Amino acid sequence: AQSVAQPEDQVNVAEGNPLTVKCTYSVSGNPYLFWYVQYPNRGLQFLLKYITGDNLVKGSYGFEAEFNKSQTSFHLKKPSALVSDSALYFCAVRDHMNYGGSQGNLIFGKGTKLSVKP
Amino acid sequence: NAGVTQTPKFQVLKTGQSMTLQCAQDMNHEYMSWYRQDPGMGLRLIHYSVGAGITDQGEVPNGYNVSRSTTEDFPLRLLSAAPSQTSVYFCASSYSKGYGYTFGSGTRLTVV
């Protein structure tokens, strides 16, 4: 079964420190992986995606993510956290090999709340 | 440049009432989906559509109906509201597989 796991409910980071939000996945075939961010009382906003190519993907607002096939992980990172990065982060996977069955829907993790303190 | 528009933003229903959550997109996207977001459970897929006239069930379809008569619109109907349907509902659309979704701003529904 396809699944996405975000093992941490909350991540606390001091402003200026590097941050990592973890994501692991389980899908058949090669995955398409995504990160979304949700600010309070808002919809989800796209941050970045991995489809193929370089394992290090750069996205919006200085975020990047590293795809690791052997560890089935797609961790979100940022070298220097800002207070304004505080939000709920969702990892999602779309199994493009299973187009006929899943019809390309996104499977979301449960979300990780990132709190950046001044 | 409206993107995905959801209405209403807030709604309170009494148990047993029915209502329709509206979703419209102006990006000519083929894929549209409805998710519900509950604390600690992330987003769960209710129904989705891969084009006009084609819909299918997601993970939690019970109590909800959808139709897709046009590419632009994908309404979600609650047939007989129950307190368990209290949630935040998001509509999302996508150009094709391999692309991330564009989400609407959500509808916060409370069933009392």
Side-chain angles (χ1 to χ4, degrees):
Chain A
Q2 302 170 77
S3 65
V4 175
Q6 294 182 241
E8 302 155 317
D9 291 335
Q10 182 156 344
V11 171
N12 298 314
V13 178
E15 188 173 32
N17 283 0
L19 69 87
T20 299
V21 183
K22 296 180 180 178
C23 172
T24 59
Y25 65 89
S26 174
V27 297
S28 57
N30 294 320
Y32 288 3
L33 294 157
F34 303 85
W35 275 101
Y36 286 83
V37 59
Q38 184 182 31
Y39 298 102
N41 300 314
R42 302 288 295 276
L44 279 70
Q45 298 177 31
F46 171 77
L47 274 180
L48 51 80
K49 68 177 184 283
Y50 171 84
I51 296 177
T52 187
D54 194 350
N55 289 344
L56 185 64
V57 179
K58 294 189 182 298
S60 306
Y61 312 122
F63 284 92
E64 58 189 26
E66 185 171 11
F67 172 63
N68 187 319
K69 189 172 184 177
S70 63
Q71 297 186 3
T72 62
S73 67
F74 189 56
H75 299 332
L76 181 70
K77 300 180 180 183
K78 187 173 183 181
S80 179
L82 300 172
V83 172
S84 57
D85 293 330
S86 298
L88 190 57
Y89 290 81
F90 289 95
C91 181
V93 64
R94 191 171 188 173
D95 182 2
H96 79 285
M97 292 296 289
N98 193 27
Y99 180 82
S102 72
Q103 297 289 334
N105 289 301
L106 292 183
I107 300 168
F108 286 87
K110 293 185 178 182
T112 298
K113 183 179 180 181
L114 174 67
S115 179
V116 182
K117 300 295 185 185
Chain B
N1 252 8
V4 178
T5 302
Q6 289 184 238
T7 56
K9 293 189 181 303
F10 303 94
Q11 183 71 48
V12 179
L13 287 179
K14 294 182 178 179
T15 297
Q17 287 184 317
S18 63
M19 79 160 293
T20 299
L21 279 62
Q22 301 292 344
C23 175
Q25 53 93 7
D26 61 357
M27 298 171 283
N28 202 33
H29 284 172
E30 290 294 327
Y31 290 88
M32 295 186 75
S33 301
W34 277 100
Y35 289 85
R36 59 177 289 173
Q37 183 181 23
D38 301 292
M41 303 191 74
L43 278 81
R44 292 181 292 169
L45 181 65
I46 304 171
H47 285 284
Y48 64 94
S49 169
V50 298
I54 306 170
T55 64
D56 206 345
Q57 296 180 350
E59 179 184 358
V60 289
N62 291 341
Y64 308 94
N65 271 355
V66 292
S67 60
R68 184 96 180 268
S69 57
T70 66
T71 299
E72 294 78 17
D73 299 301
F74 191 45
L76 178 72
R77 283 182 289 276
L78 279 70
L79 309 174
S80 177
S84 61
Q85 293 179 305
T86 294
S87 186
V88 181
Y89 292 84
F90 288 101
C91 178
S93 72
S94 174
Y95 180 72
S96 72
K97 70 170 184 171
Y99 287 86
Y101 279 18
T102 298
F103 282 84
S105 57
T107 295
R108 186 175 295 273
L109 176 68
T110 301
V111 182
V112 298

Short mmCIF file of all heavy atoms in Angstrom, two decimals, chain A residues 29-78:
data_model
loop_
_atom_site.label_atom_id
_atom_site.label_comp_id
_atom_site.label_asym_id
_atom_site.label_seq_id
_atom_site.Cartn_x
_atom_site.Cartn_y
_atom_site.Cartn_z
N GLY A 29 6.93 1.38 -7.63
CA GLY A 29 7.47 2.15 -8.72
C GLY A 29 8.18 3.41 -8.24
O GLY A 29 8.44 3.59 -7.05
N ASN A 30 8.49 4.26 -9.18
CA ASN A 30 9.21 5.50 -8.85
C ASN A 30 8.22 6.57 -8.40
O ASN A 30 7.22 6.82 -9.06
CB ASN A 30 9.99 6.00 -10.06
CG ASN A 30 11.11 5.06 -10.43
OD1 ASN A 30 11.78 4.52 -9.56
ND2 ASN A 30 11.29 4.83 -11.72
N PRO A 31 8.53 7.22 -7.30
CA PRO A 31 7.57 8.19 -6.76
C PRO A 31 7.75 9.59 -7.32
O PRO A 31 8.85 9.97 -7.72
CB PRO A 31 7.89 8.19 -5.27
CG PRO A 31 9.38 7.98 -5.25
CD PRO A 31 9.69 7.05 -6.41
N TYR A 32 6.65 10.32 -7.34
CA TYR A 32 6.72 11.77 -7.47
C TYR A 32 6.46 12.30 -6.05
O TYR A 32 5.47 11.94 -5.42
CB TYR A 32 5.63 12.31 -8.39
CG TYR A 32 5.81 12.02 -9.87
CD1 TYR A 32 6.88 11.27 -10.35
CD2 TYR A 32 4.90 12.51 -10.80
CE1 TYR A 32 7.02 11.02 -11.70
CE2 TYR A 32 5.04 12.27 -12.15
CZ TYR A 32 6.10 11.52 -12.60
OH TYR A 32 6.23 11.27 -13.94
N LEU A 33 7.33 13.15 -5.57
CA LEU A 33 7.27 13.60 -4.17
C LEU A 33 7.09 15.11 -4.09
O LEU A 33 7.65 15.85 -4.91
CB LEU A 33 8.54 13.19 -3.44
CG LEU A 33 8.71 11.68 -3.28
CD1 LEU A 33 10.17 11.32 -3.08
CD2 LEU A 33 7.86 11.17 -2.12
N PHE A 34 6.34 15.53 -3.10
CA PHE A 34 6.00 16.95 -2.97
C PHE A 34 6.09 17.38 -1.51
O PHE A 34 5.88 16.58 -0.60
CB PHE A 34 4.56 17.20 -3.46
CG PHE A 34 4.30 16.78 -4.86
CD1 PHE A 34 3.95 15.46 -5.15
CD2 PHE A 34 4.38 17.68 -5.90
CE1 PHE A 34 3.70 15.05 -6.45
CE2 PHE A 34 4.12 17.29 -7.21
CZ PHE A 34 3.78 15.97 -7.48
N TRP A 35 6.37 18.67 -1.34
CA TRP A 35 6.21 19.30 -0.05
C TRP A 35 5.27 20.50 -0.20
O TRP A 35 5.40 21.29 -1.15
CB TRP A 35 7.54 19.79 0.53
CG TRP A 35 8.30 18.74 1.26
CD1 TRP A 35 9.37 18.03 0.82
CD2 TRP A 35 8.06 18.29 2.60
NE1 TRP A 35 9.80 17.15 1.78
CE2 TRP A 35 9.02 17.30 2.89
CE3 TRP A 35 7.13 18.62 3.58
CZ2 TRP A 35 9.08 16.64 4.12
CZ3 TRP A 35 7.18 17.98 4.80
CH2 TRP A 35 8.15 17.00 5.06
N TYR A 36 4.35 20.59 0.77
CA TYR A 36 3.42 21.71 0.84
C TYR A 36 3.53 22.36 2.21
O TYR A 36 3.85 21.70 3.20
CB TYR A 36 1.98 21.25 0.63
CG TYR A 36 1.63 20.90 -0.78
CD1 TYR A 36 1.94 19.64 -1.29
CD2 TYR A 36 1.02 21.81 -1.62
CE1 TYR A 36 1.62 19.31 -2.58
CE2 TYR A 36 0.70 21.49 -2.92
CZ TYR A 36 1.01 20.24 -3.40
OH TYR A 36 0.70 19.92 -4.68
N VAL A 37 3.18 23.64 2.27
CA VAL A 37 3.16 24.36 3.53
C VAL A 37 1.76 24.96 3.72
O VAL A 37 1.12 25.38 2.75
CB VAL A 37 4.23 25.47 3.58
CG1 VAL A 37 4.05 26.50 2.47
CG2 VAL A 37 4.24 26.17 4.93
N GLN A 38 1.31 24.94 4.96
CA GLN A 38 0.01 25.53 5.28
C GLN A 38 0.17 26.51 6.43
O GLN A 38 0.52 26.12 7.55
CB GLN A 38 -1.00 24.44 5.66
CG GLN A 38 -2.40 24.99 5.92
CD GLN A 38 -3.38 23.92 6.33
OE1 GLN A 38 -3.01 22.93 6.96
NE2 GLN A 38 -4.65 24.10 5.98
N TYR A 39 -0.09 27.77 6.15
CA TYR A 39 -0.09 28.79 7.18
C TYR A 39 -1.46 28.80 7.84
O TYR A 39 -2.46 28.36 7.24
CB TYR A 39 0.28 30.14 6.60
CG TYR A 39 1.66 30.15 6.02
CD1 TYR A 39 1.87 30.06 4.64
CD2 TYR A 39 2.78 30.22 6.84
CE1 TYR A 39 3.15 30.04 4.11
CE2 TYR A 39 4.06 30.20 6.31
CZ TYR A 39 4.23 30.10 4.96
OH TYR A 39 5.50 30.07 4.44
N PRO A 40 -1.57 29.30 9.06
CA PRO A 40 -2.84 29.26 9.80
C PRO A 40 -4.00 29.82 8.98
O PRO A 40 -3.89 30.88 8.37
CB PRO A 40 -2.55 30.10 11.03
CG PRO A 40 -1.08 29.93 11.25
CD PRO A 40 -0.49 29.87 9.87
N ASN A 41 -5.09 29.07 8.98
CA ASN A 41 -6.34 29.47 8.31
C ASN A 41 -6.16 29.70 6.82
O ASN A 41 -6.88 30.51 6.22
CB ASN A 41 -6.91 30.72 8.98
CG ASN A 41 -7.22 30.49 10.44
OD1 ASN A 41 -7.81 29.47 10.81
ND2 ASN A 41 -6.79 31.40 11.28
N ARG A 42 -5.22 29.00 6.22
CA ARG A 42 -5.00 29.13 4.78
C ARG A 42 -4.99 27.75 4.13
O ARG A 42 -4.91 26.72 4.80
CB ARG A 42 -3.63 29.79 4.52
CG ARG A 42 -3.47 31.16 5.15
CD ARG A 42 -4.28 32.20 4.44
NE ARG A 42 -3.83 32.41 3.08
CZ ARG A 42 -2.84 33.22 2.74
NH1 ARG A 42 -2.18 33.88 3.67
NH2 ARG A 42 -2.50 33.36 1.47
N GLY A 43 -5.08 27.73 2.80
CA GLY A 43 -4.94 26.48 2.07
C GLY A 43 -3.48 26.09 1.96
O GLY A 43 -2.59 26.80 2.41
N LEU A 44 -3.24 24.93 1.37
CA LEU A 44 -1.88 24.46 1.20
C LEU A 44 -1.22 25.14 0.02
O LEU A 44 -1.84 25.37 -1.02
CB LEU A 44 -1.87 22.95 0.96
CG LEU A 44 -1.98 22.05 2.19
CD1 LEU A 44 -3.36 22.11 2.79
CD2 LEU A 44 -1.61 20.62 1.84
N GLN A 45 0.07 25.45 0.19
CA GLN A 45 0.84 26.06 -0.88
C GLN A 45 1.98 25.14 -1.27
O GLN A 45 2.66 24.58 -0.40
CB GLN A 45 1.41 27.40 -0.41
CG GLN A 45 0.38 28.44 -0.03
CD GLN A 45 1.03 29.70 0.48
OE1 GLN A 45 2.12 30.05 0.07
NE2 GLN A 45 0.35 30.39 1.36
N PHE A 46 2.20 25.01 -2.54
CA PHE A 46 3.26 24.17 -3.07
C PHE A 46 4.64 24.76 -2.75
O PHE A 46 4.87 25.96 -2.93
CB PHE A 46 3.07 24.07 -4.58
CG PHE A 46 4.19 23.41 -5.31
CD1 PHE A 46 4.35 22.04 -5.29
CD2 PHE A 46 5.10 24.17 -6.03
CE1 PHE A 46 5.38 21.44 -5.98
CE2 PHE A 46 6.13 23.58 -6.73
CZ PHE A 46 6.28 22.22 -6.70
N LEU A 47 5.56 23.92 -2.27
CA LEU A 47 6.93 24.34 -1.99
C LEU A 47 7.91 23.82 -3.03
O LEU A 47 8.72 24.58 -3.56
CB LEU A 47 7.38 23.82 -0.62
CG LEU A 47 7.05 24.65 0.62
CD1 LEU A 47 7.58 23.94 1.86
CD2 LEU A 47 7.61 26.05 0.51
N LEU A 48 7.87 22.51 -3.26
CA LEU A 48 8.81 21.92 -4.20
C LEU A 48 8.37 20.50 -4.54
O LEU A 48 7.50 19.94 -3.88
CB LEU A 48 10.23 21.91 -3.63
CG LEU A 48 10.44 21.32 -2.24
CD1 LEU A 48 10.49 19.82 -2.26
CD2 LEU A 48 11.73 21.88 -1.63
N LYS A 49 8.99 19.98 -5.59
CA LYS A 49 8.67 18.62 -6.00
C LYS A 49 9.92 17.91 -6.53
O LYS A 49 10.85 18.55 -7.01
CB LYS A 49 7.58 18.60 -7.07
CG LYS A 49 7.99 19.17 -8.42
CD LYS A 49 6.86 19.03 -9.42
CE LYS A 49 7.25 19.48 -10.81
NZ LYS A 49 7.26 20.95 -10.95
N TYR A 50 9.89 16.60 -6.43
CA TYR A 50 10.89 15.75 -7.07
C TYR A 50 10.16 14.80 -8.01
O TYR A 50 9.24 14.09 -7.59
CB TYR A 50 11.68 14.94 -6.04
CG TYR A 50 12.56 13.91 -6.70
CD1 TYR A 50 13.81 14.26 -7.19
CD2 TYR A 50 12.11 12.60 -6.89
CE1 TYR A 50 14.61 13.32 -7.82
CE2 TYR A 50 12.91 11.67 -7.53
CZ TYR A 50 14.14 12.03 -7.99
OH TYR A 50 14.92 11.11 -8.64
N ILE A 51 10.60 14.79 -9.26
CA ILE A 51 10.06 13.84 -10.23
C ILE A 51 11.17 12.94 -10.75
O ILE A 51 11.05 11.71 -10.75
CB ILE A 51 9.34 14.56 -11.38
CG1 ILE A 51 8.13 15.32 -10.84
CG2 ILE A 51 8.92 13.58 -12.46
CD1 ILE A 51 7.39 16.13 -11.85
N THR A 52 12.24 13.54 -11.16
CA THR A 52 13.40 12.80 -11.62
C THR A 52 14.59 13.73 -11.63
O THR A 52 14.44 14.94 -11.44
CB THR A 52 13.14 12.20 -13.02
OG1 THR A 52 14.23 11.34 -13.37
CG2 THR A 52 13.05 13.31 -14.06
N GLY A 53 15.79 13.17 -11.82
CA GLY A 53 16.96 14.03 -11.94
C GLY A 53 17.71 14.18 -10.64
O GLY A 53 17.81 13.25 -9.84
N ASP A 54 18.25 15.38 -10.43
CA ASP A 54 19.09 15.66 -9.27
C ASP A 54 18.34 15.36 -7.98
O ASP A 54 17.19 15.76 -7.80
CB ASP A 54 19.51 17.13 -9.31
CG ASP A 54 20.64 17.42 -8.35
OD1 ASP A 54 20.97 16.56 -7.51
OD2 ASP A 54 21.21 18.52 -8.42
N ASN A 55 19.03 14.67 -7.07
CA ASN A 55 18.38 14.28 -5.82
C ASN A 55 18.13 15.47 -4.90
O ASN A 55 17.31 15.37 -3.98
CB ASN A 55 19.22 13.24 -5.08
CG ASN A 55 19.18 11.89 -5.79
OD1 ASN A 55 18.33 11.64 -6.64
ND2 ASN A 55 20.12 11.03 -5.45
N LEU A 56 18.82 16.56 -5.08
CA LEU A 56 18.61 17.75 -4.27
C LEU A 56 17.73 18.72 -5.06
O LEU A 56 18.11 19.20 -6.12
CB LEU A 56 19.95 18.41 -3.91
CG LEU A 56 19.84 19.60 -2.96
CD1 LEU A 56 19.29 19.16 -1.60
CD2 LEU A 56 21.22 20.26 -2.79
N VAL A 57 16.56 18.99 -4.50
CA VAL A 57 15.59 19.83 -5.17
C VAL A 57 15.46 21.15 -4.42
O VAL A 57 15.31 21.16 -3.20
CB VAL A 57 14.21 19.14 -5.21
CG1 VAL A 57 13.19 20.02 -5.89
CG2 VAL A 57 14.30 17.78 -5.90
N LYS A 58 15.51 22.24 -5.15
CA LYS A 58 15.35 23.55 -4.53
C LYS A 58 13.94 24.06 -4.82
O LYS A 58 13.39 23.87 -5.92
CB LYS A 58 16.39 24.52 -5.07
CG LYS A 58 17.81 24.13 -4.67
CD LYS A 58 18.81 25.20 -5.01
CE LYS A 58 20.22 24.76 -4.64
NZ LYS A 58 20.35 24.52 -3.18
N GLY A 59 13.37 24.72 -3.79
CA GLY A 59 12.01 25.20 -3.94
C GLY A 59 11.85 26.64 -3.48
O GLY A 59 12.81 27.41 -3.44
N SER A 60 10.61 26.96 -3.11
CA SER A 60 10.27 28.32 -2.71
C SER A 60 10.80 28.65 -1.32
O SER A 60 11.02 27.76 -0.51
CB SER A 60 8.75 28.49 -2.73
OG SER A 60 8.19 28.13 -3.97
N TYR A 61 10.97 29.95 -1.08
CA TYR A 61 11.30 30.50 0.24
C TYR A 61 12.60 29.93 0.81
O TYR A 61 12.76 29.89 2.03
CB TYR A 61 10.16 30.24 1.23
CG TYR A 61 8.79 30.61 0.70
CD1 TYR A 61 7.77 29.65 0.62
CD2 TYR A 61 8.52 31.89 0.24
CE1 TYR A 61 6.53 29.97 0.13
CE2 TYR A 61 7.27 32.22 -0.26
CZ TYR A 61 6.28 31.26 -0.31
OH TYR A 61 5.04 31.56 -0.81
N GLY A 62 13.51 29.49 -0.02
CA GLY A 62 14.81 29.00 0.43
C GLY A 62 14.81 27.55 0.89
O GLY A 62 15.83 27.07 1.40
N PHE A 63 13.70 26.86 0.73
CA PHE A 63 13.63 25.46 1.13
C PHE A 63 14.24 24.56 0.06
O PHE A 63 14.22 24.89 -1.13
CB PHE A 63 12.19 25.03 1.38
CG PHE A 63 11.64 25.51 2.69
CD1 PHE A 63 10.95 26.70 2.78
CD2 PHE A 63 11.83 24.76 3.85
CE1 PHE A 63 10.46 27.16 4.00
CE2 PHE A 63 11.34 25.20 5.06
CZ PHE A 63 10.64 26.40 5.14
N GLU A 64 14.73 23.43 0.49
CA GLU A 64 15.22 22.40 -0.40
C GLU A 64 14.89 21.04 0.19
O GLU A 64 14.56 20.94 1.39
CB GLU A 64 16.72 22.53 -0.65
CG GLU A 64 17.56 22.47 0.61
CD GLU A 64 19.01 22.82 0.32
OE1 GLU A 64 19.29 23.55 -0.65
OE2 GLU A 64 19.87 22.39 1.11
N ALA A 65 14.93 20.01 -0.64
CA ALA A 65 14.64 18.66 -0.15
C ALA A 65 15.57 17.69 -0.85
O ALA A 65 15.93 17.88 -2.01
CB ALA A 65 13.19 18.29 -0.40
N GLU A 66 15.95 16.66 -0.11
CA GLU A 66 16.85 15.66 -0.64
C GLU A 66 16.14 14.34 -0.80
O GLU A 66 15.63 13.77 0.18
CB GLU A 66 18.07 15.50 0.27
CG GLU A 66 19.12 14.54 -0.30
CD GLU A 66 20.40 14.57 0.50
OE1 GLU A 66 20.40 15.15 1.59
OE2 GLU A 66 21.40 14.00 0.02
N PHE A 67 16.11 13.84 -2.02
CA PHE A 67 15.52 12.55 -2.32
C PHE A 67 16.56 11.46 -2.11
O PHE A 67 17.67 11.54 -2.66
CB PHE A 67 15.02 12.52 -3.76
CG PHE A 67 14.56 11.16 -4.23
CD1 PHE A 67 13.47 10.54 -3.64
CD2 PHE A 67 15.22 10.51 -5.26
CE1 PHE A 67 13.05 9.30 -4.07
CE2 PHE A 67 14.79 9.26 -5.71
CZ PHE A 67 13.72 8.66 -5.11
N ASN A 68 16.23 10.48 -1.29
CA ASN A 68 17.14 9.36 -1.04
C ASN A 68 16.38 8.07 -1.32
O ASN A 68 15.56 7.63 -0.50
CB ASN A 68 17.65 9.40 0.41
CG ASN A 68 18.72 8.38 0.68
OD1 ASN A 68 18.64 7.24 0.22
ND2 ASN A 68 19.75 8.78 1.40
N LYS A 69 16.66 7.48 -2.45
CA LYS A 69 15.90 6.29 -2.87
C LYS A 69 16.16 5.10 -1.97
O LYS A 69 15.25 4.34 -1.65
CB LYS A 69 16.22 5.94 -4.33
CG LYS A 69 15.32 4.86 -4.90
CD LYS A 69 15.54 4.69 -6.39
CE LYS A 69 14.57 3.67 -6.95
NZ LYS A 69 14.72 3.53 -8.43
N SER A 70 17.41 4.91 -1.57
CA SER A 70 17.74 3.74 -0.74
C SER A 70 17.08 3.81 0.63
O SER A 70 16.71 2.78 1.20
CB SER A 70 19.25 3.62 -0.59
OG SER A 70 19.77 4.75 0.09
N GLN A 71 16.92 5.01 1.16
CA GLN A 71 16.26 5.18 2.45
C GLN A 71 14.79 5.55 2.31
O GLN A 71 14.12 5.77 3.32
CB GLN A 71 16.99 6.24 3.27
CG GLN A 71 18.43 5.88 3.60
CD GLN A 71 19.09 6.89 4.54
OE1 GLN A 71 18.46 7.83 4.99
NE2 GLN A 71 20.37 6.68 4.79
N THR A 72 14.30 5.61 1.09
CA THR A 72 12.92 6.03 0.78
C THR A 72 12.53 7.26 1.60
O THR A 72 11.49 7.29 2.29
CB THR A 72 11.90 4.89 1.01
OG1 THR A 72 11.91 4.49 2.39
CG2 THR A 72 12.21 3.70 0.12
N SER A 73 13.37 8.28 1.50
CA SER A 73 13.12 9.49 2.27
C SER A 73 13.15 10.72 1.37
O SER A 73 13.75 10.71 0.28
CB SER A 73 14.14 9.65 3.39
OG SER A 73 15.43 9.88 2.87
N PHE A 74 12.51 11.76 1.84
CA PHE A 74 12.46 13.03 1.11
C PHE A 74 12.36 14.14 2.16
O PHE A 74 11.34 14.80 2.32
CB PHE A 74 11.26 13.03 0.17
CG PHE A 74 11.21 14.20 -0.80
CD1 PHE A 74 12.29 14.45 -1.65
CD2 PHE A 74 10.11 15.01 -0.88
CE1 PHE A 74 12.25 15.50 -2.56
CE2 PHE A 74 10.05 16.06 -1.78
CZ PHE A 74 11.12 16.31 -2.62
N HIS A 75 13.45 14.38 2.86
CA HIS A 75 13.46 15.33 3.97
C HIS A 75 13.54 16.76 3.47
O HIS A 75 14.32 17.08 2.56
CB HIS A 75 14.63 15.05 4.90
CG HIS A 75 14.60 13.69 5.52
ND1 HIS A 75 13.44 12.99 5.75
CD2 HIS A 75 15.63 12.88 5.94
CE1 HIS A 75 13.73 11.82 6.30
NE2 HIS A 75 15.05 11.73 6.42
N LEU A 76 12.77 17.63 4.11
CA LEU A 76 12.75 19.05 3.78
C LEU A 76 13.79 19.76 4.64
O LEU A 76 13.87 19.51 5.86
CB LEU A 76 11.35 19.63 4.06
CG LEU A 76 11.14 21.10 3.75
CD1 LEU A 76 11.16 21.34 2.23
CD2 LEU A 76 9.82 21.58 4.34
N LYS A 77 14.54 20.68 4.03
CA LYS A 77 15.60 21.36 4.77
C LYS A 77 15.64 22.83 4.42
O LYS A 77 15.18 23.26 3.35
CB LYS A 77 16.96 20.71 4.44
CG LYS A 77 17.05 19.24 4.79
CD LYS A 77 18.40 18.65 4.44
CE LYS A 77 18.45 17.18 4.81
NZ LYS A 77 19.77 16.58 4.57
N LYS A 78 16.23 23.58 5.36
CA LYS A 78 16.51 24.99 5.12
C LYS A 78 17.72 25.36 5.95
O LYS A 78 17.78 25.02 7.14
CB LYS A 78 15.31 25.87 5.48
CG LYS A 78 15.47 27.32 5.08
CD LYS A 78 14.20 28.11 5.32
CE LYS A 78 14.39 29.55 4.84
NZ LYS A 78 13.18 30.37 5.07
#
